Amino acid sequence: MAVNLENYTRIKLECDAAGATLVAVSKIKPASDILALKNAGQLDFGENYVQELVEKANELPKDIRWHFIGHLQRNKVKYIAPFVHLVHGVDSFRLLEEIGRQADKFGRDIHCLLQVHIAMEETKFGMNAAGLDDCLLQLSNARSEGKCSRVKVRGLMGMASFTDDLQQLEREFGQLHSLYQKHLSRFDHQETEPVLSMGMSSDYQLALKKGSNMVRIGSALFGARN
Ligand SMILES: *Cc1c(COP(=O)(O)O)cnc(C)c1O
């Protein structure tokens, strides 16, 4: 499957114009596709599976910034902790705590986004507004005990419903954006910009309009997945 460089150029321009980071989602796609896009200038790549990410990271150039965008199990944090650039889908304080432990162990800061459930479907992961509040509170309590200092919460991530209903999508993105605004001062972004990761191939333009500053795009760049 060839990489769609025409789409890449167009989407990259749209992201640049909106001040957003483009994460190219390469799950299930071969290393050769990643390399082709990297040669076109792309550095941020997203993967959903730990083992696949570790294998690709070993094989591909070291300057790639790897985003983990899947559902992360606590017992697998240690495999990606040494090199991961940003973990998007943190949906519990227990996971955040484990990332903090691994960050200490490897002596590096690990940047994360908290995942919020905004979609109608029940299958999508993430916290609700109350869970988010609670998670941020637990984090600040842990910090006052000297824990979790190396796990950095940069912002929020969410996935909208799988629907063509534009009003529905707008509502969901709007909801995530207001949670992001509400908690902005509680995120760790002293040295780096805060992040709102929302928008995929089918809905990224709407997400950018609703304040996204990071989109995760797979099929529009790499073709459909089987
Ligand atoms: C697969 C995936 C994407 C990319 O989806 P496309 O529709 O192929 O752009 C984005 N975000 C997450 C969390 C994903 O799992």
Side-chain angles (χ1 to χ4, degrees):
M1 199 54 209
V3 168
N4 190 329
L5 287 177
E6 213 171 288
N7 276 359
Y8 174 65
T9 306
R10 180 175 51 78
I11 295 170
K12 180 78 174 106
L13 279 173
E14 292 177 80
C15 287
D16 287 350
T21 301
L22 169 60
V23 177
V25 176
S26 46
K27 60 178 174 227
I28 320 181
K29 298 296 174 180
S32 54
D33 282 3
I34 297 175
L35 214 46
L37 206 56
K38 183 176 186 286
N39 289 336
Q42 179 65 19
L43 279 180
D44 291 275
F45 289 89
E47 289 282 339
N48 287 58
Y49 308 102
V50 168
Q51 193 183 340
E52 184 180 349
L53 169 55
V54 169
E55 283 169 9
K56 285 173 171 170
N58 280 332
E59 170 178 357
L60 285 159
K62 298 298 170 213
D63 57 338
I64 288 179
R65 297 190 287 255
W66 292 106
H67 296 243
F68 188 80
I69 65 167
H71 184 68
L72 184 57
Q73 290 170 299
R74 272 179 293 140
N75 62 353
K76 294 198 173 162
V77 175
K78 56 179 178 281
Y79 300 116
I80 62 170
F83 67 90
V84 72
H85 179 70
L86 184 63
V87 180
H88 288 232
V90 177
D91 64 356
S92 73
F93 179 69
R94 288 174 80 199
L95 176 57
L96 203 58
E97 221 177 5
E98 173 60 15
I99 296 171
R101 262 195 294 274
Q102 295 300 329
D104 285 339
K105 203 163 135 194
F106 287 98
R108 68 186 292 261
D109 291 352
I110 301 180
H111 292 210
C112 298
L113 304 177
L114 300 179
Q115 184 170 2
V116 179
H117 180 96
I118 50 171
M120 294 181 295
E121 294 106 63
E122 291 195 353
T123 50
K124 285 181 181 160
F125 296 104
M127 302 181 263
N128 61 20
L132 175 62
D133 245 340
D134 189 54
C135 183
L136 288 166
L137 182 64
Q138 289 195 68
L139 177 63
S140 97
N141 290 340
R143 293 239 172 102
S144 60
E145 294 168 12
K147 290 187 281 187
C148 292
S149 60
R150 278 189 171 263
V151 59
K152 306 291 184 192
V153 173
R154 298 267 311 275
L156 302 181
M157 175 266 204
M159 283 170 91
S161 295
F162 187 68
T163 176
D164 308 325
D165 182 345
L166 289 183
Q167 284 184 332
Q168 175 72 24
L169 290 171
E170 241 176 75
R171 259 200 308 279
E172 293 175 1
F173 287 141
Q175 190 191 335
L176 185 55
H177 184 254
S178 36
L179 283 172
Y180 171 73
Q181 292 286 356
K182 177 181 170 194
H183 294 296
L184 206 49
S185 66
R186 302 169 82 183
F187 302 140
D188 301 302
H189 54 81
Q190 289 74 20
E191 289 130 56
T192 40
E193 289 294 300
V195 176
L196 177 57
S197 167
M198 62 182 194
M200 312 180 13
S201 292
S202 58
D203 57 20
Y204 75 90
Q205 285 168 325
L206 194 57
L208 290 174
K209 252 188 244 161
K210 293 306 243 174
S212 168
N213 63 12
M214 188 173 280
V215 297
R216 310 173 308 269
I217 301 201
S219 46
L221 303 176
F222 293 107
R225 291 176 296 272
N226 296 325

